[in-house]
Coordinates of all heavy atoms in Angstrom, one line a residue:
M1 N 108.0 199.7 29.9 CA 108.0 199.0 28.6 C 107.7 200.1 27.5 O 106.9 201.0 27.7 CB 106.9 198.0 28.5 CG 107.1 197.0 27.4 SD 106.0 195.6 27.6 CE 104.7 196.0 26.4
R2 N 108.5 200.0 26.5 CA 108.4 201.0 25.4 C 107.1 200.8 24.6 O 106.8 199.7 24.3 CB 109.6 200.9 24.5 CG 109.6 202.0 23.5 CD 110.9 202.1 22.8 NE 110.7 203.0 21.6 CZ 111.5 203.1 20.6 NH1 112.5 202.4 20.6 NH2 111.2 203.9 19.6
K3 N 106.4 201.9 24.4 CA 105.2 201.8 23.5 C 105.6 202.2 22.1 O 106.3 203.1 21.9 CB 104.1 202.7 24.1 CG 103.5 202.1 25.3 CD 102.1 202.6 25.4 CE 101.3 201.8 26.5 NZ 100.1 202.4 26.8
Y4 N 105.0 201.4 21.2 CA 105.3 201.7 19.8 C 104.0 202.2 19.2 O 102.9 201.8 19.5 CB 105.7 200.4 19.0 CG 107.0 199.9 19.4 CD1 107.1 198.8 20.3 CD2 108.2 200.5 18.9 CE1 108.4 198.3 20.6 CE2 109.4 200.0 19.3 CZ 109.5 198.9 20.1 OH 110.7 198.5 20.5
K5 N 104.2 203.1 18.2 CA 103.0 203.6 17.4 C 102.7 202.5 16.4 O 103.6 201.7 16.1 CB 103.4 204.8 16.6 CG 103.5 206.0 17.5 CD 103.7 207.2 16.6 CE 104.1 208.5 17.4 NZ 105.0 209.4 16.6
E6 N 101.5 202.4 16.0 CA 101.1 201.4 15.1 C 102.0 201.4 13.8 O 102.3 200.3 13.4 CB 99.6 201.7 14.6 CG 99.0 200.5 13.9 CD 97.7 200.8 13.2 OE1 97.2 201.9 13.4 OE2 97.2 199.9 12.5
A7 N 102.3 202.5 13.3 CA 103.1 202.5 12.1 C 104.5 201.9 12.3 O 105.1 201.3 11.5 CB 103.3 204.0 11.6
Q8 N 105.0 202.1 13.5 CA 106.3 201.5 13.9 C 106.2 200.0 13.9 O 107.1 199.3 13.4 CB 106.8 202.0 15.2 CG 107.3 203.5 15.2 CD 107.7 203.9 16.6 OE1 106.9 203.9 17.5 NE2 108.9 204.4 16.7
V9 N 105.1 199.5 14.4 CA 105.0 198.1 14.5 C 104.8 197.5 13.1 O 105.5 196.5 12.8 CB 103.7 197.7 15.4 CG1 103.5 196.2 15.3 CG2 103.9 198.2 16.8
I10 N 104.0 198.2 12.3 CA 103.8 197.7 10.9 C 105.2 197.7 10.2 O 105.5 196.8 9.4 CB 102.8 198.5 10.1 CG1 101.4 198.3 10.8 CG2 102.7 198.1 8.7 CD1 100.4 199.3 10.3
Q11 N 106.0 198.7 10.4 CA 107.3 198.8 9.8 C 108.2 197.6 10.2 O 109.0 197.2 9.4 CB 107.9 200.1 10.1 CG 109.2 200.4 9.3 CD 109.4 201.9 9.2 OE1 109.3 202.7 10.1 NE2 109.7 202.3 8.0
M12 N 108.0 197.2 11.4 CA 108.9 196.1 11.9 C 108.5 194.8 11.2 O 109.3 193.9 11.0 CB 108.8 196.0 13.4 CG 109.6 197.0 14.1 SD 109.7 196.7 15.9 CE 108.2 197.4 16.4
I13 N 107.2 194.6 10.9 CA 106.8 193.3 10.4 C 106.6 193.4 8.9 O 106.3 192.4 8.2 CB 105.5 192.8 11.1 CG1 104.3 193.8 10.9 CG2 105.7 192.5 12.5 CD1 103.0 193.4 11.4
F14 N 106.7 194.6 8.3 CA 106.5 194.7 6.9 C 107.5 194.0 6.0 O 108.7 194.1 6.3 CB 106.6 196.2 6.5 CG 106.2 196.6 5.1 CD1 105.0 196.3 4.6 CD2 107.2 197.2 4.3 CE1 104.7 196.6 3.3 CE2 106.9 197.5 3.0 CZ 105.6 197.2 2.5
K15 N 107.0 193.1 5.2 CA 107.8 192.3 4.3 C 107.5 192.6 2.8 O 106.6 192.0 2.3 CB 107.6 190.8 4.6 CG 108.4 190.3 5.8 CD 109.7 189.7 5.3 CE 110.7 189.8 6.5 NZ 112.0 190.5 6.1
P16 N 108.2 193.5 2.2 CA 107.8 193.9 0.8 C 108.1 192.7 -0.1 O 109.2 192.1 0.0 CB 108.6 195.1 0.5 CG 109.8 195.0 1.5 CD 109.3 194.3 2.7
Q17 N 107.2 192.5 -1.0 CA 107.4 191.4 -2.0 C 107.1 192.0 -3.4 O 105.9 192.4 -3.6 CB 106.5 190.2 -1.7 CG 107.2 189.0 -1.2 CD 106.3 187.9 -1.0 OE1 105.3 187.8 -1.6 NE2 106.7 187.1 0.0
V18 N 108.0 192.1 -4.2 CA 107.8 192.6 -5.6 C 107.1 191.6 -6.4 O 107.5 190.4 -6.6 CB 109.1 193.0 -6.2 CG1 108.9 193.5 -7.7 CG2 109.8 194.1 -5.4
V19 N 105.9 192.0 -6.9 CA 105.2 191.0 -7.8 C 105.3 191.4 -9.3 O 105.0 190.6 -10.2 CB 103.7 190.9 -7.4 CG1 103.6 190.2 -6.1 CG2 103.0 192.2 -7.4
E20 N 105.7 192.7 -9.5 CA 105.8 193.1 -10.9 C 106.8 194.3 -10.9 O 106.8 195.1 -10.0 CB 104.4 193.6 -11.3 CG 104.3 193.7 -12.8 CD 102.9 194.4 -13.2 OE1 102.0 194.4 -12.3 OE2 102.8 194.8 -14.4
A21 N 107.7 194.2 -11.9 CA 108.6 195.4 -12.1 C 108.8 195.7 -13.5 O 108.9 194.8 -14.4 CB 110.0 195.0 -11.5
K22 N 108.8 197.0 -13.8 CA 109.0 197.4 -15.2 C 110.0 198.5 -15.3 O 110.1 199.4 -14.5 CB 107.6 198.0 -15.7 CG 106.6 196.9 -16.1 CD 105.5 197.6 -16.9 CE 104.4 196.5 -17.1 NZ 103.1 196.9 -16.6
M23 N 110.9 198.3 -16.3 CA 111.8 199.4 -16.6 C 111.0 200.6 -17.2 O 110.3 200.4 -18.2 CB 112.9 198.9 -17.6 CG 114.0 199.8 -17.9 SD 115.1 200.1 -16.4 CE 116.1 198.6 -16.5
H24 N 111.2 201.7 -16.6 CA 110.4 202.8 -17.0 C 111.3 203.8 -17.8 O 110.8 204.3 -18.8 CB 109.9 203.6 -15.8 CG 108.9 204.6 -16.1 ND1 107.6 204.4 -16.4 CD2 109.0 206.0 -16.1 CE1 106.9 205.5 -16.6 NE2 107.8 206.5 -16.5
E25 N 112.5 203.9 -17.4 CA 113.4 204.7 -18.2 C 114.8 204.1 -18.0 O 115.1 203.6 -16.9 CB 113.4 206.1 -17.6 CG 113.1 207.2 -18.5 CD 113.1 208.5 -17.8 OE1 112.0 208.8 -17.2 OE2 114.1 209.2 -17.9
R26 N 115.6 204.1 -19.1 CA 116.9 203.5 -19.0 C 117.8 204.4 -19.7 O 117.6 204.7 -20.9 CB 116.7 202.1 -19.6 CG 118.1 201.5 -20.0 CD 117.9 200.1 -20.4 NE 119.1 199.4 -20.0 CZ 119.1 198.1 -19.5 NH1 118.0 197.5 -19.5 NH2 120.2 197.6 -19.2
N27 N 118.9 204.7 -19.1 CA 119.9 205.5 -19.8 C 121.3 204.9 -19.4 O 121.9 205.2 -18.4 CB 119.8 207.0 -19.3 CG 120.7 207.9 -20.2 OD1 121.7 207.4 -20.8 ND2 120.3 209.1 -20.4
D28 N 121.8 204.1 -20.3 CA 123.0 203.4 -20.1 C 124.2 204.4 -20.1 O 125.2 204.2 -19.4 CB 123.3 202.3 -21.1 CG 122.3 201.1 -20.9 OD1 122.1 200.7 -19.8 OD2 121.7 200.6 -21.9
A29 N 124.0 205.5 -20.9 CA 125.1 206.5 -21.0 C 125.4 207.1 -19.6 O 126.5 207.4 -19.2 CB 124.8 207.5 -22.0
T30 N 124.3 207.5 -18.9 CA 124.5 208.1 -17.6 C 124.3 207.2 -16.4 O 124.4 207.6 -15.3 CB 123.5 209.3 -17.5 OG1 122.2 208.8 -17.6 CG2 123.7 210.4 -18.5
N31 N 124.1 205.9 -16.8 CA 123.9 204.9 -15.7 C 122.8 205.2 -14.8 O 122.8 205.1 -13.6 CB 125.2 204.8 -14.9 CG 125.6 203.4 -14.5 OD1 124.8 202.5 -14.8 ND2 126.7 203.2 -13.9
L32 N 121.7 205.7 -15.4 CA 120.5 206.0 -14.6 C 119.3 205.2 -15.1 O 119.0 205.1 -16.2 CB 120.2 207.5 -14.9 CG 119.1 208.1 -14.1 CD1 119.5 208.4 -12.7 CD2 118.6 209.5 -14.7
Y33 N 118.7 204.5 -14.1 CA 117.6 203.6 -14.4 C 116.5 203.9 -13.5 O 116.7 204.3 -12.3 CB 118.0 202.1 -14.2 CG 119.3 201.8 -15.0 CD1 120.5 201.8 -14.3 CD2 119.2 201.4 -16.3 CE1 121.7 201.6 -15.1 CE2 120.3 201.1 -17.0 CZ 121.6 201.2 -16.4 OH 122.7 200.9 -17.1
H34 N 115.3 203.7 -14.0 CA 114.1 204.1 -13.3 C 113.1 202.9 -13.5 O 112.7 202.7 -14.6 CB 113.6 205.4 -14.0 CG 112.3 205.9 -13.5 ND1 111.9 207.2 -13.8 CD2 111.3 205.3 -12.8 CE1 110.7 207.4 -13.3 NE2 110.3 206.3 -12.7
V35 N 112.9 202.3 -12.4 CA 112.1 201.1 -12.4 C 110.8 201.3 -11.6 O 110.9 201.9 -10.5 CB 112.8 199.8 -11.8 CG1 111.9 198.6 -11.6 CG2 114.0 199.5 -12.7
V36 N 109.7 200.9 -12.1 CA 108.4 201.0 -11.3 C 108.1 199.5 -10.9 O 108.0 198.6 -11.7 CB 107.3 201.6 -12.1 CG1 106.0 201.5 -11.4 CG2 107.6 203.0 -12.5
A37 N 107.9 199.4 -9.6 CA 107.6 198.0 -9.1 C 106.2 198.0 -8.3 O 105.8 199.1 -7.8 CB 108.7 197.6 -8.1
R38 N 105.6 196.9 -8.4 CA 104.3 196.8 -7.7 C 104.6 195.7 -6.6 O 105.1 194.6 -6.9 CB 103.2 196.4 -8.6 CG 101.9 196.2 -7.9 CD 100.7 196.1 -8.9 NE 100.8 194.9 -9.7 CZ 100.2 193.8 -9.3 NH1 99.6 193.7 -8.2 NH2 100.3 192.7 -10.1
L39 N 104.1 196.0 -5.4 CA 104.3 195.0 -4.3 C 103.0 194.2 -4.1 O 102.0 194.5 -4.7 CB 104.6 195.8 -3.0 CG 105.8 196.7 -3.0 CD1 106.1 197.3 -1.7 CD2 107.1 196.0 -3.5
Q40 N 103.2 193.2 -3.3 CA 102.1 192.2 -3.1 C 100.8 192.9 -2.6 O 99.7 192.4 -2.8 CB 102.5 191.0 -2.2 CG 102.4 191.2 -0.7 CD 103.6 192.0 -0.2 OE1 104.4 192.6 -0.9 NE2 103.7 192.0 1.2
D41 N 101.0 194.0 -1.8 CA 99.8 194.7 -1.3 C 99.3 195.8 -2.2 O 98.6 196.7 -1.8 CB 100.2 195.3 0.1 CG 101.3 196.2 0.1 OD1 101.8 196.5 -1.0 OD2 101.8 196.6 1.1
N42 N 99.8 195.8 -3.4 CA 99.4 196.7 -4.5 C 100.0 198.1 -4.3 O 99.5 199.1 -4.8 CB 97.9 196.8 -4.6 CG 97.5 196.9 -6.0 OD1 98.2 196.5 -6.9 ND2 96.3 197.4 -6.3
T43 N 101.0 198.2 -3.5 CA 101.8 199.5 -3.4 C 102.7 199.6 -4.6 O 103.3 198.6 -5.0 CB 102.7 199.4 -2.1 OG1 101.9 199.3 -1.0 CG2 103.6 200.7 -2.0
H44 N 102.6 200.7 -5.2 CA 103.5 201.0 -6.4 C 104.6 201.9 -6.0 O 104.4 202.9 -5.3 CB 102.7 201.7 -7.5 CG 101.7 200.8 -8.2 ND1 100.5 200.4 -7.5 CD2 101.7 200.2 -9.4 CE1 99.8 199.6 -8.3 NE2 100.5 199.5 -9.4
C45 N 105.8 201.5 -6.4 CA 106.9 202.4 -6.0 C 107.9 202.6 -7.2 O 107.9 201.7 -8.1 CB 107.6 202.0 -4.8 SG 108.1 200.3 -4.8
R46 N 108.6 203.6 -7.1 CA 109.6 203.9 -8.2 C 111.0 203.8 -7.6 O 111.2 204.3 -6.5 CB 109.4 205.4 -8.6 CG 110.4 205.9 -9.6 CD 110.2 207.4 -9.8 NE 108.9 207.7 -10.3 CZ 108.1 208.6 -9.8 NH1 108.4 209.3 -8.7 NH2 106.9 208.9 -10.4
I47 N 111.8 203.0 -8.2 CA 113.2 202.8 -7.7 C 114.1 203.5 -8.7 O 114.0 203.2 -9.9 CB 113.5 201.4 -7.6 CG1 112.5 200.6 -6.8 CG2 114.9 201.2 -6.9 CD1 112.6 199.1 -7.0
I48 N 114.9 204.4 -8.2 CA 115.8 205.1 -9.1 C 117.2 204.6 -8.8 O 117.7 204.6 -7.7 CB 115.8 206.6 -8.9 CG1 114.4 207.2 -8.9 CG2 116.7 207.4 -9.8 CD1 113.9 207.6 -10.2
Y49 N 117.9 204.1 -9.8 CA 119.3 203.7 -9.7 C 120.1 204.7 -10.4 O 120.0 205.0 -11.6 CB 119.5 202.3 -10.5 CG 118.6 201.2 -10.0 CD1 117.3 201.1 -10.3 CD2 119.2 200.2 -9.2 CE1 116.5 200.0 -9.9 CE2 118.4 199.1 -8.8 CZ 117.1 199.1 -9.1 OH 116.3 198.0 -8.7
N50 N 120.9 205.4 -9.6 CA 121.7 206.5 -10.2 C 123.2 206.2 -9.9 O 123.6 206.4 -8.7 CB 121.3 207.8 -9.5 CG 122.0 209.0 -10.2 OD1 122.8 208.8 -11.1 ND2 121.6 210.2 -9.7
N51 N 123.9 205.7 -10.9 CA 125.3 205.3 -10.7 C 125.5 204.5 -9.5 O 126.5 204.7 -8.7 CB 126.1 206.6 -10.6 CG 126.4 207.2 -12.0 OD1 126.9 206.5 -12.9 ND2 125.9 208.4 -12.2
G52 N 124.7 203.5 -9.3 CA 124.9 202.6 -8.2 C 124.2 202.9 -6.9 O 124.1 202.1 -6.0
T53 N 123.7 204.1 -6.7 CA 123.0 204.4 -5.5 C 121.5 204.3 -5.9 O 121.0 204.5 -7.0 CB 123.2 205.9 -5.0 OG1 122.8 206.8 -6.1 CG2 124.6 206.1 -4.7
K54 N 120.8 203.8 -4.9 CA 119.3 203.5 -5.1 C 118.5 204.4 -4.2 O 118.8 204.7 -3.1 CB 119.0 202.1 -4.7 CG 119.8 201.1 -5.5 CD 119.5 199.7 -5.0 CE 120.5 198.7 -5.4 NZ 121.6 198.5 -4.4
S55 N 117.4 204.9 -4.8 CA 116.4 205.6 -3.9 C 115.0 205.1 -4.3 O 114.8 204.6 -5.4 CB 116.6 207.1 -4.1 OG 116.4 207.5 -5.4
I56 N 114.1 205.3 -3.4 CA 112.8 204.8 -3.7 C 111.8 205.9 -3.3 O 112.0 206.6 -2.4 CB 112.6 203.5 -2.9 CG1 111.3 202.8 -3.3 CG2 112.5 203.8 -1.3 CD1 111.3 201.3 -2.8
S57 N 110.7 205.9 -4.1 CA 109.6 206.7 -3.7 C 108.3 206.0 -4.0 O 108.2 205.3 -5.0 CB 109.6 208.1 -4.3 OG 109.6 208.0 -5.7
R58 N 107.3 206.2 -3.2 CA 106.0 205.6 -3.5 C 105.2 206.4 -4.4 O 105.1 207.6 -4.4 CB 105.3 205.4 -2.1 CG 104.0 204.6 -2.1 CD 103.6 204.4 -0.7 NE 103.5 205.6 0.1 CZ 102.5 206.5 0.1 NH1 101.5 206.3 -0.7 NH2 102.6 207.6 0.8
L59 N 104.6 205.7 -5.4 CA 103.6 206.3 -6.3 C 102.3 206.5 -5.5 O 101.9 205.6 -4.8 CB 103.4 205.5 -7.5 CG 104.7 205.3 -8.4 CD1 104.3 204.5 -9.6 CD2 105.4 206.6 -8.7
L60 N 101.7 207.6 -5.7 CA 100.5 207.9 -4.9 C 99.2 207.3 -5.4 O 98.2 208.0 -5.4 CB 100.4 209.4 -4.7 CG 101.6 210.1 -4.1 CD1 101.5 211.6 -4.0 CD2 101.9 209.6 -2.7
K61 N 99.3 206.1 -5.8 CA 98.1 205.4 -6.2 C 97.3 204.9 -5.1 O 96.0 204.8 -5.1 CB 98.4 204.2 -7.1 CG 99.1 204.6 -8.4 CD 99.5 203.4 -9.2 CE 100.2 203.7 -10.5 NZ 99.5 203.5 -11.7
N62 N 98.0 204.4 -4.0 CA 97.3 203.8 -2.9 C 98.0 204.4 -1.6 O 99.1 204.8 -1.7 CB 97.5 202.3 -2.9 CG 96.7 201.7 -4.0 OD1 95.5 201.9 -4.2 ND2 97.4 200.9 -4.8
P63 N 97.3 204.4 -0.5 CA 97.9 204.9 0.7 C 99.1 204.0 1.1 O 99.2 202.9 0.7 CB 96.8 204.7 1.8 CG 95.5 204.5 1.0 CD 95.9 204.0 -0.3
C64 N 100.0 204.6 1.8 CA 101.2 203.9 2.3 C 100.8 202.7 3.1 O 99.9 202.8 4.0 CB 102.0 204.9 3.1 SG 103.4 204.1 3.9
P65 N 101.4 201.5 2.8 CA 101.1 200.3 3.6 C 101.5 200.4 5.1 O 101.1 199.6 5.9 CB 101.8 199.2 2.9 CG 102.9 199.9 2.2 CD 102.5 201.3 1.8
I66 N 102.4 201.3 5.4 CA 102.9 201.4 6.7 C 102.2 202.5 7.5 O 101.7 202.2 8.6 CB 104.5 201.6 6.7 CG1 105.1 200.4 6.0 CG2 105.0 201.9 8.1 CD1 106.5 200.6 5.5
C67 N 102.3 203.7 7.0 CA 101.7 204.8 7.8 C 100.3 205.2 7.4 O 99.6 206.0 8.0 CB 102.6 206.1 7.8 SG 102.6 206.9 6.2
R68 N 99.9 204.6 6.2 CA 98.5 204.8 5.7 C 98.2 206.2 5.2 O 97.1 206.6 4.9 CB 97.4 204.5 6.8 CG 97.5 203.1 7.2 CD 96.7 202.2 6.2 NE 97.1 200.8 6.2 CZ 97.1 200.1 5.1 NH1 96.7 200.6 3.9 NH2 97.5 198.8 5.1
K69 N 99.3 207.0 5.1 CA 99.1 208.3 4.5 C 98.9 208.2 3.0 O 99.5 207.3 2.4 CB 100.3 209.2 4.8 CG 100.3 209.7 6.2 CD 101.5 210.6 6.4 CE 101.7 210.9 7.8 NZ 103.1 211.3 8.2
D70 N 98.2 209.1 2.4 CA 98.2 209.1 0.9 C 99.0 210.2 0.3 O 98.8 210.6 -0.8 CB 96.7 209.0 0.4 CG 95.9 210.1 0.9 OD1 96.4 211.1 1.5 OD2 94.6 210.1 0.7
T71 N 99.8 210.8 1.1 CA 100.8 211.8 0.6 C 102.2 211.2 0.7 O 102.3 210.1 1.2 CB 100.7 213.0 1.5 OG1 100.9 212.7 2.8 CG2 99.4 213.8 1.3
H72 N 103.2 211.9 0.3 CA 104.5 211.3 0.3 C 105.0 211.1 1.7 O 104.7 211.9 2.6 CB 105.5 212.3 -0.4 CG 105.4 212.1 -1.9 ND1 105.9 211.0 -2.5 CD2 105.0 212.9 -2.9 CE1 105.7 211.1 -3.8 NE2 105.1 212.2 -4.1
C73 N 105.7 210.0 1.9 CA 106.3 209.7 3.2 C 107.6 209.0 3.0 O 107.9 208.6 1.9 CB 105.3 208.9 4.1 SG 105.0 207.3 3.3
K74 N 108.3 208.7 4.1 CA 109.6 208.1 3.9 C 109.7 206.7 4.4 O 110.7 206.1 4.5 CB 110.6 209.0 4.7 CG 110.7 210.4 4.2 CD 112.1 210.9 4.4 CE 112.4 212.1 3.5 NZ 112.9 211.8 2.2
C75 N 108.5 206.1 4.6 CA 108.5 204.8 5.2 C 109.2 203.7 4.3 O 109.8 202.8 4.9 CB 107.0 204.3 5.3 SG 106.1 205.3 6.4
L76 N 109.1 203.8 3.0 CA 109.8 202.8 2.2 C 111.3 202.9 2.1 O 111.9 202.0 1.7 CB 109.1 202.8 0.8 CG 107.7 202.2 0.7 CD1 107.3 202.2 -0.8 CD2 107.6 200.7 1.2
D77 N 111.8 204.1 2.6 CA 113.2 204.3 2.4 C 114.1 203.2 3.0 O 115.0 202.8 2.4 CB 113.6 205.6 3.1 CG 113.2 206.8 2.3 OD1 112.5 206.7 1.3 OD2 113.6 207.9 2.7
R78 N 113.7 202.7 4.1 CA 114.5 201.7 4.8 C 114.4 200.3 4.1 O 115.1 199.4 4.5 CB 114.3 201.6 6.2 CG 112.9 201.0 6.6 CD 112.9 200.8 8.1 NE 113.0 202.0 8.8 CZ 113.1 202.1 10.1 NH1 113.1 201.0 10.9 NH2 113.2 203.3 10.7
F79 N 113.4 200.2 3.2 CA 113.3 198.9 2.5 C 113.8 198.9 1.1 O 113.6 198.0 0.3 CB 111.8 198.6 2.4 CG 111.2 198.3 3.8 CD1 110.4 199.3 4.4 CD2 111.4 197.1 4.5 CE1 109.9 199.2 5.7 CE2 110.8 197.0 5.7 CZ 110.1 198.0 6.3
V80 N 114.5 200.0 0.7 CA 115.0 200.1 -0.6 C 115.9 198.9 -1.1 O 115.7 198.4 -2.1 CB 115.7 201.5 -0.9 CG1 116.9 201.7 0.0 CG2 116.0 201.6 -2.4
E81 N 116.8 198.5 -0.2 CA 117.7 197.4 -0.6 C 116.9 196.1 -0.7 O 117.1 195.3 -1.6 CB 118.7 197.2 0.5 CG 119.8 198.3 0.5 CD 120.6 198.4 -0.8 OE1 120.7 197.4 -1.5 OE2 121.1 199.5 -1.1
E82 N 115.9 195.9 0.2 CA 115.1 194.7 0.2 C 114.3 194.6 -1.1 O 114.1 193.6 -1.7 CB 114.3 194.7 1.4 CG 113.7 193.3 1.7 CD 113.1 193.2 3.1 OE1 113.3 194.1 3.9 OE2 112.3 192.3 3.3
I83 N 113.7 195.8 -1.4 CA 112.9 195.8 -2.6 C 113.7 195.7 -3.9 O 113.5 194.9 -4.8 CB 112.0 197.1 -2.6 CG1 111.0 197.0 -1.5 CG2 111.3 197.3 -4.0 CD1 110.2 198.3 -1.2
A84 N 114.8 196.5 -3.9 CA 115.7 196.5 -5.1 C 116.3 195.1 -5.4 O 116.5 194.7 -6.5 CB 116.7 197.6 -5.0
S85 N 116.6 194.4 -4.3 CA 117.2 193.1 -4.4 C 116.3 192.1 -5.1 O 116.7 191.0 -5.6 CB 117.6 192.5 -3.1 OG 116.5 192.2 -2.3
Q86 N 115.0 192.4 -5.1 CA 114.0 191.5 -5.8 C 113.8 191.8 -7.2 O 113.0 191.2 -7.9 CB 112.7 191.5 -5.0 CG 112.8 191.0 -3.6 CD 111.5 191.2 -2.9 OE1 110.4 190.9 -3.4 NE2 111.6 191.7 -1.6
V87 N 114.4 192.9 -7.7 CA 114.2 193.3 -9.1 C 115.4 192.8 -9.9 O 116.6 193.1 -9.6 CB 114.1 194.9 -9.2 CG1 114.1 195.3 -10.6 CG2 112.9 195.4 -8.4
D88 N 115.1 192.0 -10.9 CA 116.1 191.4 -11.7 C 116.3 192.3 -12.9 O 115.5 192.2 -13.9 CB 115.8 190.0 -12.0 CG 116.9 189.3 -12.7 OD1 117.9 189.9 -13.0 OD2 116.8 188.0 -12.9
F89 N 117.3 193.1 -12.9 CA 117.6 193.9 -14.1 C 117.6 193.2 -15.4 O 117.0 193.7 -16.4 CB 118.9 194.6 -13.9 CG 118.8 196.0 -13.5 CD1 118.4 196.4 -12.2 CD2 119.1 197.0 -14.4 CE1 118.3 197.7 -11.9 CE2 119.0 198.4 -14.1 CZ 118.6 198.7 -12.8
A90 N 118.2 192.1 -15.5 CA 118.3 191.4 -16.7 C 117.0 191.0 -17.3 O 116.9 190.8 -18.5 CB 119.2 190.1 -16.5
Q91 N 116.0 190.9 -16.5 CA 114.7 190.5 -16.9 C 113.8 191.6 -17.4 O 112.7 191.4 -17.9 CB 113.9 189.8 -15.8 CG 114.7 188.6 -15.2 CD 114.3 187.3 -15.9 OE1 113.2 187.0 -16.2 NE2 115.3 186.5 -16.1
L92 N 114.3 192.8 -17.2 CA 113.4 194.0 -17.5 C 113.7 194.5 -18.9 O 114.7 194.4 -19.5 CB 113.7 195.1 -16.5 CG 113.4 194.8 -15.1 CD1 113.7 196.0 -14.2 CD2 112.0 194.3 -14.8
Ligands
ZN101 ZN1 104.3 205.9 5.0

């Protein structure tokens, strides 16, 4: 039986929920948007929309909800679509 690390298990069950999102920077001319979102577990992250591609990085206010590191990590990368889909651009 395969053994999983705790972080892997958390990543499998992690369900990000955006509770707050703010437009931080908006540049319609270059199609670049920068949104800061807060998740239900108080994780803050920055979503960058650059000409249709999205990337995410965690703000270092709180440890990562998945690996618990308080430095940069890539855990949220695979949730970028899920998190971004909860941000309604028209409302920002
Ligand atoms: Zn992490």
Side-chain angles (χ1 to χ4, degrees):
M1 204 167 97
R2 186 170 168 197
K3 286 210 167 167
Y4 293 102
K5 287 186 191 151
E6 192 193 357
Q8 288 177 304
V9 175
I10 295 170
Q11 190 152 44
M12 282 188 277
I13 58 174
F14 184 62
K15 278 265 155 235
Q17 253 180 28
V18 175
V19 292
E20 198 185 345
K22 282 192 186 120
M23 185 69 77
H24 190 76
E25 238 177 278
R26 164 173 212 142
N27 191 331
D28 290 316
T30 56
N31 221 355
L32 187 74
Y33 307 94
H34 173 166
V35 170
V36 173
R38 183 167 66 86
L39 307 183
Q40 84 279 16
D41 58 7
N42 222 20
T43 299
H44 292 72
C45 53
R46 174 190 297 128
I47 311 163
I48 309 272
Y49 301 76
N50 187 359
N51 281 302
T53 61
K54 303 178 197 91
S55 61
I56 192 163
S57 62
R58 186 169 50 81
L59 301 182
L60 301 177
K61 292 176 187 253
N62 292 309
C64 172
I66 296 163
C67 70
R68 297 277 153 212
K69 285 182 190 156
D70 55 11
T71 52
H72 279 293
C73 63
K74 301 211 159 270
C75 299
L76 286 180
D77 283 7
R78 70 170 65 187
F79 296 100
V80 60
E81 289 298 335
E82 199 170 341
I83 292 171
S85 71
Q86 296 174 45
V87 174
D88 187 353
F89 253 74
Q91 306 269 320
L92 301 179

